[in-house]
Amino acid sequence: MSSRITFQSGSIDLPPIPKSGYAQSVTSSRLEALSQPRRAVYYKGDRPGPIWPVRRTAMNADCSVRLEQLGQPKTLDNQYCFDRTAYMMVSRGAQSAEPSTRLQQLSQPLARKQVQEYKESEWGQTFPVSDNSKKAIASVRLEQLAESKAYHKFFRDEKPVQWNVPDGALKATANIRLQQLSRPRSRTMIKDDYDPYRVSVAARRVHATPRIEELCVPIPRKVRPKNAA
């Protein structure tokens, strides 16, 4: 038994509804052909080993001038210098050189000073704090801004892990509606002949309102006109 849905633009036929049990689908011959795995027609397996016979024509072949030119290895640049070895000769002048006063001064480690008095940056510069800043007194407004933000008047701390449950909650009885909603769905309520494609009679006879038809129309600025051939 099949049903039909009628629209303003036409009608469509729904799949047949089984009388009892489940519907059995039948696969077409085209679908079975498409489900077959793809076979390699020109597939060739790997060579049996690193040694294989070479044809006589390939042994006696002569390379062209262009092929010999491409077969030459790439030469190094004229200014290319190889890497230095781990062992090298130090010149006599470098061995007997004496550092200058400035070089000795730069080679000294940075002197660490007290953190309480100086603020060091990531580059090691120090910024001393003046005596006036140490003796300064904050104003009333500054002290007011420095205070921590207070909690809201309706703020409540988190409940502990264990707390007392009131007697009203312990002796409460659920009403009939609450018990009905909390009951799990029985498997006997599941219908074997349920068809998700079935359309009710009221849905077949419904007509869209003018507002719904207006909303179904695409936006004119988003409609792309077709180019004439």
Side-chain angles (χ1 to χ4, degrees):
M1 178 179 179
S2 61
S3 58
R4 177 183 295 271
I5 301 178
T6 305
F7 299 96
Q8 294 183 359
S9 58
S11 60
I12 58 175
D13 293 332
L14 297 176
I17 301 174
K19 296 182 179 179
S20 63
Y22 297 94
Q24 296 181 358
S25 60
V26 180
T27 308
S28 61
S29 57
R30 177 57 179 168
L31 188 59
E32 290 181 356
L34 293 175
S35 63
Q36 297 297 325
R38 188 175 182 181
R39 299 178 181 178
V41 182
Y42 302 101
Y43 174 76
K44 293 184 179 180
D46 298 335
R47 290 176 176 174
I51 302 176
W52 59 87
V54 183
R55 294 179 299 178
R56 182 67 61 182
T57 55
M59 295 181 182
N60 300 331
D62 295 330
C63 298
S64 61
V65 180
R66 178 58 179 167
L67 189 59
E68 292 181 354
Q69 182 181 1
L70 294 175
Q72 296 296 329
K74 188 176 181 180
T75 58
L76 299 176
D77 192 81
N78 298 330
Q79 299 180 356
Y80 177 79
C81 297
F82 291 94
D83 296 337
R84 289 185 178 183
T85 59
Y87 303 95
M88 61 185 67
M89 300 298 296
V90 183
S91 61
R92 182 65 62 179
Q95 295 178 4
S96 59
E98 294 182 359
S100 60
T101 306
R102 179 58 178 168
L103 189 60
Q104 293 180 1
Q105 182 182 358
L106 294 175
S107 63
Q108 296 297 327
L110 183 65
R112 296 290 180 180
K113 298 182 180 181
Q114 296 183 4
V115 183
Q116 291 82 1
E117 298 181 0
Y118 295 91
K119 180 181 179 182
E120 297 182 1
S121 65
E122 57 181 352
W123 299 105
Q125 295 91 343
T126 57
F127 302 95
V129 182
S130 60
D131 296 337
N132 296 332
S133 299
K134 296 178 182 179
K135 300 177 182 179
I137 300 175
S139 60
V140 179
R141 177 58 179 168
L142 189 60
E143 291 181 353
Q144 182 181 0
L145 294 174
E147 293 179 357
S148 58
K149 188 176 181 180
Y151 292 105
H152 194 266
K153 58 181 180 179
F154 297 111
F155 174 78
R156 294 183 180 181
D157 295 329
E158 297 178 356
K159 286 186 177 182
V161 180
Q162 298 178 356
W163 64 86
N164 298 326
V165 182
D167 296 338
L170 295 174
K171 300 178 181 179
T173 304
N175 52 18
I176 299 176
R177 180 57 179 168
L178 188 60
Q179 294 178 8
Q180 182 181 2
L181 293 174
S182 64
R183 186 181 304 113
R185 186 176 183 182
S186 178
R187 293 194 175 270
T188 58
M189 300 176 62
I190 301 176
K191 299 180 181 179
D192 295 339
D193 57 347
Y194 174 73
D195 186 10
Y197 299 100
R198 183 179 180 182
V199 182
S200 61
V201 180
R204 301 175 194 175
R205 299 176 180 176
V206 71
H207 295 281
T209 60
R211 178 55 178 168
I212 295 181
E213 293 180 354
E214 181 183 357
L215 294 174
C216 293
V217 178
I219 302 176
R221 61 182 176 84
K222 291 189 176 181
V223 177
R224 182 177 298 177
K226 295 183 179 180
N227 298 328

